[in-house]
Amino acid sequence: MNTFVSIAIDGPAGAGKSTMARMLADRLGYSYVDTGAIYRTIGLFLSICGISPKDVDGITRLIDEASIQVEYDEQGMQHMLLNGQDVTGELRTPEMSDYASKISALKVVRDVLLDLQRDLAGTRNVVMDGRDIGTVVLPRANVKIFLTASPEVRAKRRLLELQAKGDKKSSFDKVLQEIRERDKRDETRAVAPLKCAPDAVRLDTSELSIEESAAAMEKIVKERLG
Ligand code: DC
């Protein structure tokens, strides 16, 4: 039996999962596990290999050559190591978002990453965010929250995030279109699609500030953990 507490935060791209989950983990003194970064790392490996996200045979052949490790620095920030090299800074680009979303639909990819995610929750208290944490990865999580917001609000947030990183090319319409495409792909894939677990609390942050969303999440956690 797992003696550690796990909090699962699922939801679509740009719903504020990583900001909220990180804040919650800091307040509780838990480790924050960004599972999107894990999918992006395997995506980076496969894209460096020059494999098309549609080439299931090629992916199946190569995937075991990727050694993926999750590490935490002194500030508690998650770092992704790919075959021993820290690739954290290379993961959050629009190209990797698209590639990771495509390969994450494949069973072979999800199977390889499942144990890694479960092992992390088996060794520490975690706030883990992703798409299928409450439904597949940690079905017995102590608390499950499904965080969402309208596509327009999520696109606005994502654009600000990209601009803050110096991106001058992306426009609102382009980001909105990418979010809609990614939602559709993540929600309609056959394996572990994005969906709200029946025992998850649904929280729509469209009208909420970061502080209001964080307060609402803390309330849910307190009620569930007692
Ligand atoms: O959360 P993110 O945007 O960094 O995730 C990138 C992609 O990875 C996302 O489009 C879907 C996939 N993903 C997934 O399928 N399951 C997870 N638990 C986390 C991410």
Side-chain angles (χ1 to χ4, degrees):
M1 203 184 94
N2 190 356
T3 51
F4 294 97
V5 177
S6 51
I7 299 179
I9 316 275
D10 289 302
K17 295 189 302 293
S18 56
T19 309
M20 292 300 124
R22 191 173 290 127
M23 279 170 88
L24 189 63
D26 280 352
R27 285 180 198 179
L28 295 169
Y30 292 7
S31 295
Y32 163 54
V33 185
D34 169 5
T35 64
I38 301 177
Y39 280 89
R40 287 167 186 265
T41 304
I42 199 97
L44 181 67
F45 170 78
L46 295 168
S47 72
I48 291 170
C49 293
I51 298 265
S52 154
K54 290 188 191 139
D55 181 1
V56 183
D57 288 344
I59 291 174
T60 308
R61 218 172 33 245
L62 275 173
I63 200 161
D64 287 338
E65 287 180 25
S67 156
I68 293 181
Q69 282 164 284
V70 180
E71 285 192 354
Y72 291 89
D73 65 19
E74 281 159 18
Q75 282 77 46
M77 293 297 286
Q78 177 177 325
H79 287 257
M80 294 306 308
L81 303 189
L82 172 58
N83 293 337
Q85 212 189 326
D86 191 333
V87 294
T88 315
E90 297 169 50
L91 303 177
R92 295 205 69 83
T93 62
E95 294 76 28
M96 243 344 101
S97 300
D98 186 62
Y99 195 95
S101 170
K102 286 178 179 155
I103 54 121
S104 69
L106 304 176
K107 186 172 182 313
V108 60
V109 171
R110 305 203 75 83
D111 285 351
V112 163
L113 300 181
L114 190 58
D115 285 346
L116 174 63
Q117 296 169 83
R118 285 187 178 155
D119 288 350
L120 284 164
T123 51
R124 65 194 81 201
N125 296 324
V126 293
V127 178
M128 190 176 277
D129 84 15
R131 303 292 189 288
D132 62 336
I133 309 305
T135 50
V136 176
V137 180
L138 304 175
R140 305 178 77 176
N142 304 72
V143 185
K144 298 181 187 179
I145 299 173
F146 192 84
L147 206 60
T148 188
S150 71
E152 290 76 12
V153 168
R154 290 187 281 126
K156 211 164 121 191
R157 290 178 185 162
R158 190 41 64 96
L159 184 62
L160 287 173
E161 195 181 297
L162 291 169
Q163 285 170 343
K165 280 200 223 146
D167 180 336
K168 296 194 180 94
K169 283 185 299 182
S170 298
S171 66
F172 175 79
D173 288 345
K174 184 163 174 272
V175 175
L176 180 61
Q177 188 197 341
E178 283 165 0
I179 281 202
R180 288 210 161 108
E181 281 169 14
R182 210 136 73 89
D183 281 358
K184 189 161 174 235
R185 210 161 37 225
D186 293 347
E187 284 164 4
T188 57
R189 67 183 175 216
V191 195
L194 167 67
K195 64 169 184 236
C196 182
D199 51 350
V201 180
R202 200 182 172 93
L203 179 61
D204 188 325
T205 67
S206 302
E207 307 284 326
L208 303 181
S209 66
I210 290 182
E211 288 72 26
E212 288 167 338
S213 308
M217 270 183 50
E218 263 189 73
K219 190 164 171 272
I220 296 167
V221 170
K222 271 200 194 127
E223 279 167 8
R224 295 262 161 148
L225 289 184

